[in-house]
Amino acid sequence: MLRRTLGFPRHMIHPVVSILVFVRNAATTIEQTLDSICSQRNQHFELIVLDGGSTDGTLEIIQRYRDRIAILRTGPDGGPTNAINEGVRRASGEIICLLPADDWLEPGALSVVAEEFSNNTRLEILTGGARIARVRDNGEVVVRAKYQDLRALEFTLSNILRNPLTCARFIRRAVYERLGGMDSNWIFADKEFLVRAYLAGVVSKVRCELVFTFRQHAGSTTNSGRREMTMKMLSDNIKLFRHYGATPALSIADRRAFRHLHGGSSARLAISLVLCGRFGDAWRTVQDAFLSNSTWPLNAVVWYYESAREKYRHARAR
């Protein structure tokens, strides 16, 4: 199996990072994704590309990087969650890096990862600085949001529920194995997986340097802004509250975080359903919200107040 081991003194032992690129029909973005990996100073990685059966020229671009790819699989796979679980099973590296084919690693990202996991064998999740950006036709990167301070990046339940930043979190393969991987019963299985990891008490650390960029575009699952995808995410948030909100070991702060998530998601989902003309579904959403948590309107106000503060911070940071 191909591993790149350039860039470090011989006496230093660095863990291999298995980079899982999951892709389907991303011909316009996959080259930048692969370039961002192959240009890393730390070349101590294993590149696994899991293609869900692309038909738009994506595979032809991937083939240009074939000598850098340890594992290439193509064909229908049931979606990103199944692809990620397959990649983790096939990975030989100690550290897993998830990389959708529309996002990219920043220069020096893998060096940061190698340094932190080499220095602390107990470390299980490393969170790095991230940003959400739109790329214009001329290649200009327009930053929409930055996450480069400790308060926003800490591996807390509140942060996970508001901004999972999953792909900017580098996770030991052993964590996936211990928790049983991602659960395909969830639409946004990555957020649910991070909640499980948090509740399991993983050892985490933050490095605020920019290591990852999420691309905002119409085809993105989480950053497209499409109403139908947003509504699915809101429904999953409500499901998270119902599934984990009554966990006995939760702290007061964690219970509050779940209630705020539920309140904000219920309010926004009800409004979205009204805008779609689905008045009956909107009314049922409101009824269910009251049955689950009678204080949900107040929690919704708090959730959206915090969202407004966050947007203001992002606007000032641009």
Side-chain angles (χ1 to χ4, degrees):
M1 189 169 289
L2 179 66
R3 292 180 185 172
R4 301 293 177 178
T5 58
L6 305 176
F8 291 105
R10 291 182 180 274
H11 67 277
M12 295 180 69
I13 300 175
H14 288 267
V16 172
V17 181
S18 290
I19 305 171
L20 311 186
V21 176
F22 44 103
V23 54
R24 185 175 182 275
N25 291 336
T28 59
T29 61
I30 183 66
E31 188 162 17
Q32 182 177 12
T33 300
L34 295 175
D35 277 343
S36 78
I37 301 167
C38 296
S39 62
Q40 292 288 311
R41 293 194 303 272
N42 173 15
Q43 296 280 303
H44 205 55
F45 64 77
E46 171 188 62
L47 177 53
I48 299 174
V49 179
L50 303 160
D51 175 77
S54 294
T55 58
D56 66 341
T58 295
L59 280 172
E60 287 78 1
I61 298 171
I62 291 172
Q63 288 297 338
R64 300 176 199 162
Y65 298 83
R66 190 63 185 89
D67 65 330
R68 309 296 299 271
I69 299 172
I71 297 173
L72 172 59
R73 189 272 292 144
T74 184
D77 53 22
T81 300
N82 290 337
I84 290 168
N85 286 336
E86 176 190 347
V88 171
R89 288 194 301 269
R90 300 181 70 176
S92 63
E94 295 176 55
I95 315 302
I96 300 295
C97 166
L98 303 180
L99 185 55
D102 48 2
D103 301 336
W104 66 86
L105 293 175
E106 292 294 328
L110 294 186
S111 295
V112 171
V113 175
E115 177 186 340
E116 291 296 339
F117 282 100
S118 297
N119 291 339
N120 186 352
T121 58
R122 294 182 61 250
L123 180 61
E124 294 178 296
I125 295 183
L126 173 69
T127 302
R131 62 182 180 172
I132 298 173
R134 182 176 294 276
V135 181
R136 291 178 173 165
D137 293 341
N138 63 2
E140 180 187 0
V141 176
V142 181
V143 177
R144 300 298 189 187
K146 283 185 179 180
Y147 302 89
Q148 285 188 261
D149 62 274
L150 185 63
R151 179 177 58 177
L153 294 174
E154 273 189 309
F155 196 69
T156 63
L157 186 61
S158 179
N159 281 343
I160 294 167
L161 295 179
R162 186 173 289 278
N163 297 300
L165 301 178
T166 308
C167 297
R169 305 188 194 273
F170 304 86
I171 305 176
R172 283 199 189 271
R173 193 179 74 234
V175 174
Y176 287 93
E177 294 168 347
R178 187 166 80 243
L179 298 180
M182 293 192 181
D183 186 347
S184 59
N185 291 313
W186 296 81
I187 299 173
F188 294 89
D190 58 334
K191 181 186 283 189
E192 189 274 339
F193 177 79
L194 292 178
V195 169
R196 272 190 286 139
Y198 172 81
L199 295 176
V202 295
V203 178
S204 64
K205 184 177 179 179
V206 171
R207 282 282 294 265
C208 293
E209 294 99 317
L210 180 65
V211 299
F212 198 94
T213 296
F214 297 88
R215 183 192 299 260
Q216 186 182 60
H217 64 102
S220 171
T221 301
T222 54
N223 288 314
S224 66
R226 288 177 293 154
R227 178 177 294 168
E228 66 273 18
M229 192 55 63
T230 299
M231 290 169 66
K232 289 180 180 179
M233 182 168 56
L234 295 170
S235 296
D236 237 28
N237 286 345
I238 295 169
K239 182 180 174 182
L240 272 174
F241 166 78
R242 291 174 179 164
H243 194 83
Y244 291 108
T247 302
L250 289 178
S251 67
I252 294 175
D254 289 344
R255 291 185 191 281
R256 186 185 304 121
F258 270 125
R259 287 197 301 269
H260 291 171
L261 173 78
H262 172 259
S265 298
S266 296
R268 189 174 178 187
L269 180 59
I271 293 170
S272 297
L273 289 167
V274 167
L275 293 175
C276 292
R278 297 167 57 183
F279 302 106
D281 289 338
W283 176 241
R284 281 187 289 273
T285 297
V286 170
Q287 287 180 309
D288 290 344
F290 272 114
L291 288 173
S292 299
N293 174 20
S294 61
T295 64
W296 74 271
L298 177 60
N299 298 142
V301 171
V302 174
W303 178 268
Y304 286 109
Y305 170 72
E306 293 295 331
S307 296
R309 287 182 59 190
E310 182 176 295
K311 289 179 181 178
Y312 176 71
R313 288 197 300 269
H314 289 318
R316 291 191 62 188
R318 289 176 191 169

